[in-house]
Amino acid sequence: METIISVTNLKKHFKVPIHHRGPLGSLHNLFNREHRLVKAVDGINFEIRRGELVGYLGPNGAGKSTTLKMLSGLLVPTSGELQVRGCVPWRERRSYVAKIGAVFGQRTSLWWDLPVIESLDMLQHIYHIPASRFERNLNEFRRLLELDPFLHTPVRSLSLGQRMRADICAALLHDPDLIFLDEPTIGLDVVAKERIRGFIRHINHQRGTTVLLTTHDLSDVEKLCRRVMIIDQGSLVYDGELALLRERFGGKRELVVEFAELYDDVNVPGARLVDRDQRWATYQFERRAITASELIGRLSERFNLNDLEVREPDIETTIRRIYEERLLAS
């Protein structure tokens, strides 16, 4: 599969002024400028292939948005190599941005005082979108994102969820094959989040659009992404499949069992009984010590079972464990 993004030893460092307080501090600031070096992104490497939908995760200040701004051509790296679709984003910015889409959750690309439809019409002319393609895309996005109720409303009057849907529509009108989404569901209610997730899934599966998604809502990742990259303190600490992330850092799993009859003792080797209620029992077990199928086999040999369910640790717990292990190691 073709590589669409290639990043090698990418760094972005900022000099941040050190301010001293008080009258003497003000004089010190005036005559003796001091700075500290912030390594927002510090030597990361990755590749993204065409058609992938990748979650890019990390705590606040980890370097996620800085990475996206370099990929979008908004920032110039301190050092390293970066190519997107065969272009160096900040050197060929005018031609480059015409071929990608970007949505930054806290900012809009629409005109604040204009109705949504007029902003979209202006974008048609800016991107030189043929009329037939513009109408086709607009009609499809109106349906999928349910834009009609606020299509003629000024952007300033939209709710956060409505504005986000309009921004996503605007970012895809010109048929980019790559889109960067920075916190697209931040602050939205459950219904709005699900609508946007469904749309992201649609453009990735049906149109083959490559998506790089940053988010603090780990439900987005669980429902959309097979691959995740995790950045912490400017360094990439994990890059791989979500399933392997759980396997490596997930810790304890749970098996919930409904027995066909009452038993006095339902303990079983290899697992810890953590909850018991009549015919129901919950076991906790380490994935490295015993597999779910082995544990189920042991239970089946001793008891008659009606139903069972294997529960994986949620991704938030898994990622927190990565950060904790990294802090202990540093």
Side-chain angles (χ1 to χ4, degrees):
M1 197 180 297
E2 178 190 355
T3 297
I4 195 168
I5 299 176
S6 177
V7 171
T8 307
N9 199 27
L10 188 66
K11 297 182 181 181
K12 183 61 181 178
H13 298 169
F14 297 95
K15 282 186 176 180
V16 179
I18 298 174
H19 291 281
H20 300 274
R21 299 175 63 186
L24 292 177
S26 298
L27 286 172
H28 186 89
N29 294 334
L30 184 63
F31 294 107
N32 187 14
R33 304 290 290 178
E34 296 179 20
H35 297 82
R36 62 186 176 90
L37 189 67
V38 175
K39 298 180 179 180
V41 174
D42 195 29
I44 63 173
N45 302 275
F46 63 84
E47 289 186 350
I48 294 178
R49 294 179 176 83
R50 188 175 295 278
E52 284 195 282
L53 200 172
V54 182
Y56 193 38
L57 311 178
N60 287 329
K64 303 186 304 298
S65 293
T66 301
T67 305
L68 255 61
K69 287 175 182 176
M70 288 189 284
L71 291 171
S72 304
L74 298 174
L75 287 178
V76 179
T78 303
S79 63
E81 296 181 6
L82 166 59
Q83 282 203 337
V84 184
R85 302 180 80 260
C87 300
V88 179
W90 58 93
R91 289 183 189 151
E92 307 161 69
R93 190 156 180 258
R94 184 181 292 272
S95 61
Y96 171 70
V97 296
K99 300 172 184 175
I100 67 164
V103 176
F104 292 90
Q106 299 299 323
R107 298 181 181 179
T108 182
S109 59
L110 304 171
W111 283 264
W112 199 242
D113 292 315
L114 293 182
V116 173
I117 188 62
E118 291 188 24
S119 285
L120 301 180
D121 286 339
M122 290 182 68
L123 288 171
Q124 178 192 0
H125 297 292
I126 290 171
Y127 284 105
H128 306 292
I129 307 170
S132 59
R133 194 199 327 169
F134 175 78
E135 290 299 327
R136 183 183 69 243
N137 285 343
L138 180 58
N139 289 335
E140 181 181 358
F141 298 160
R142 284 169 62 180
R143 176 176 56 84
L144 292 170
L145 291 167
E146 298 184 22
L147 302 179
D148 284 356
F150 55 88
L151 202 55
H152 297 279
T153 303
V155 172
R156 67 173 184 271
S157 301
L158 300 181
S159 69
L160 181 59
Q162 290 171 336
R163 182 179 64 74
M164 186 59 62
R165 282 144 60 192
D167 268 318
I168 291 174
C169 172
L172 287 157
L173 279 174
H174 58 295
D175 280 337
D177 57 3
L178 169 64
I179 186 166
F180 303 114
L181 298 175
D182 189 22
E183 302 284 359
T185 62
I186 189 168
L188 304 188
D189 61 42
V190 173
V191 175
K193 284 182 180 182
E194 199 54 46
R195 187 178 289 117
I196 287 176
R197 288 170 187 155
F199 183 76
I200 295 170
R201 197 179 296 114
H202 171 84
I203 61 168
N204 178 248
H205 291 176
Q206 302 301 320
R207 291 177 165 236
T209 307
T210 307
V211 182
L212 182 59
L213 167 72
T214 77
T215 181
H216 279 96
D217 189 335
L218 297 177
S219 296
D220 293 345
V221 177
E222 289 187 299
K223 294 182 178 182
L224 293 172
C225 305
R226 289 183 57 188
R227 176 186 171 191
V228 294
M229 299 189 298
I230 301 176
I231 188 172
D232 188 28
Q233 298 176 10
S235 299
L236 209 60
V237 297
Y238 181 83
D239 180 3
E241 291 188 12
L242 182 59
L244 294 178
L245 175 69
R246 278 204 174 102
E247 186 174 328
R248 181 177 170 189
F249 295 101
K252 294 178 181 179
R253 308 166 79 188
E254 288 186 344
L255 178 66
V256 181
V257 177
E258 181 189 9
F259 297 101
E261 52 191 283
L262 284 172
Y263 295 98
D264 292 331
D265 182 5
V266 293
N267 286 287
V268 64
R272 184 166 68 92
L273 182 65
V274 295
D275 190 32
R276 175 77 190 277
D277 182 17
Q278 299 297 319
R279 296 187 181 187
W280 291 89
T282 302
Y283 300 90
Q284 203 171 71
F285 62 102
E286 289 280 356
R287 65 179 69 241
R288 294 188 182 97
I290 187 172
T291 66
S293 59
E294 288 172 337
L295 179 57
I296 292 167
R298 291 181 185 180
L299 285 163
S300 300
E301 288 174 359
R302 297 182 55 190
F303 310 108
N304 294 322
L305 308 180
N306 269 349
D307 197 8
L308 50 85
E309 176 190 3
V310 178
R311 292 178 180 169
E312 298 286 350
D314 62 63
I315 188 172
E316 187 169 357
T317 302
T318 302
I319 291 174
R320 189 186 307 120
R321 184 172 178 179
I322 295 174
Y323 295 148
E324 289 169 353
E325 289 186 10
R326 183 171 167 79
L327 285 172
L328 289 172
S330 61

